[in-house]
Amino acid sequence: RGPHPAGGLGQADNPPRRKTACRGEIWRYAAGAKCPCGARMIKKPAKFQDLLSGDDIAVADFGARARRLMKLAREGLPVPQAFALPVRAVRSRAAGQALDCAVILPAFGENPVLSVRSSPQNPDWGGPETILNVGMTEATRTALVPALGEGPARALYARFVQAYAIRVARLDADMFDMLDEAVPGEDALQAALRAYEEEMEEPFPQDVAVQLENVLRSMARAWEGTSARLLRQAKGAPADMAVELVNDGPITLSIET
């Protein structure tokens, strides 16, 4: 019944008002689970839901795609590591609230390459277009060369630079026409990176957590846009219906998860 070894509270104590920290990290457990230090912990709500955790989730909170992935994982089928962002967190992100995306990245391993997909409650309502190759940086490109080759690794990086610049940074697509080739050359890639830096007044982001947070913000805001709302209503969706977002990875050579 004493204090948690890392300064938090054991299950027998009154529930803490703040997330319980252990050894410098935030731990989120199902009720009755234990921290690695052996103390029993109280269940805490998480902004990101691990879809491979075995916990049941509701379509109303996480959407149809996320629930399907959760059910497949519970059946023991091979499902890539995936996290879902619930309705409330998507709306908060669209309103400008920051997300600590770094907390989920260790689950994907070193040099992760992720996809971010929408998870509406009804698939017929559509949603923001999937963004692939999140996490492609100069370091990730270099790490992929032994497995893919220089050309394919460069193409993956170029595809993401183009998608990020147009759909996340909202830059003019014509500025990145040099990347339209199936396998853009090194000169084209470097020209695109310079164009991004000149327009944004900062280099293309090389931090995966920053890339992921900006992608989530862009997709959340796209769902809240006027044209997207009108299209959903035309398909029978309520005017205030929200979307959930799913992050999964790694990708295969076919650029699918």
Side-chain angles (χ1 to χ4, degrees), residues 97-221:
Q97 181 176 331
L99 285 171
D100 184 8
C101 294
V103 299
I104 66 171
L105 292 180
F108 295 106
E110 190 176 2
N111 298 316
V113 181
L114 314 174
S115 63
V116 181
R117 308 171 186 273
S118 63
S119 179
Q121 293 183 28
N122 186 331
D124 292 339
W125 296 343
E129 186 179 352
T130 297
I131 295 183
L132 300 171
N133 305 334
V134 180
M136 283 301 300
T137 63
E138 291 287 354
T140 304
R141 170 193 175 187
T142 300
L144 289 175
V145 168
L148 304 183
E150 178 60 41
R154 182 173 63 248
L156 281 178
Y157 189 27
R159 291 285 83 78
F160 179 62
V161 169
Q162 188 177 41
Y164 188 97
I166 296 170
R167 296 170 53 196
V168 178
R170 308 296 181 185
L171 300 181
D172 190 341
D174 292 341
M175 295 174 56
F176 301 92
D177 284 347
M178 73 286 283
L179 299 179
D180 286 343
E181 298 180 12
V183 182
E186 185 64 30
D187 289 345
L189 174 59
Q190 294 305 318
L193 290 170
R194 287 194 299 272
Y196 179 95
E197 183 170 359
E198 290 172 3
E199 192 68 20
M200 298 299 294
E201 298 183 349
E202 62 181 15
F204 188 79
Q206 298 295 310
D207 186 318
V208 180
V210 171
Q211 291 181 3
L212 182 55
E213 182 172 344
N214 289 337
V215 167
L216 292 173
R217 178 189 61 189
S218 175
M219 293 181 70
R221 289 180 174 176

Side-chain angles (χ1 to χ4, degrees), residues 30-114:
K34 290 185 177 181
C35 171
C37 69
R40 296 180 68 81
M41 306 289 284
I42 298 171
K43 186 175 182 180
K44 294 293 170 187
K47 288 184 176 179
F48 290 97
Q49 172 66 40
D50 185 348
L51 298 181
L52 274 61
S53 67
D55 295 339
D56 196 9
I57 60 174
V59 172
D61 292 327
F62 290 94
R65 183 191 299 274
R67 180 164 172 77
R68 285 198 301 271
L69 285 174
M70 178 275 298
K71 293 176 70 175
L72 290 173
R74 292 179 79 174
E75 290 294 328
L77 295 175
V79 176
Q81 177 64 61
F83 289 85
L85 199 62
V87 169
R88 65 183 183 278
V90 173
R91 283 176 165 159
S92 296
R93 189 68 192 98
Q97 181 176 331
L99 285 171
D100 184 8
C101 294
V103 299
I104 66 171
L105 292 180
F108 295 106
E110 190 176 2
N111 298 316
V113 181
L114 314 174

Side-chain angles (χ1 to χ4, degrees), residues 94 218-233 239:
S218 175
M219 293 181 70
R221 289 180 174 176
W223 176 265
E224 299 293 341
T226 301
S227 59
R229 190 180 305 113
L230 292 174
L231 286 172
R232 289 196 302 274
Q233 292 180 46

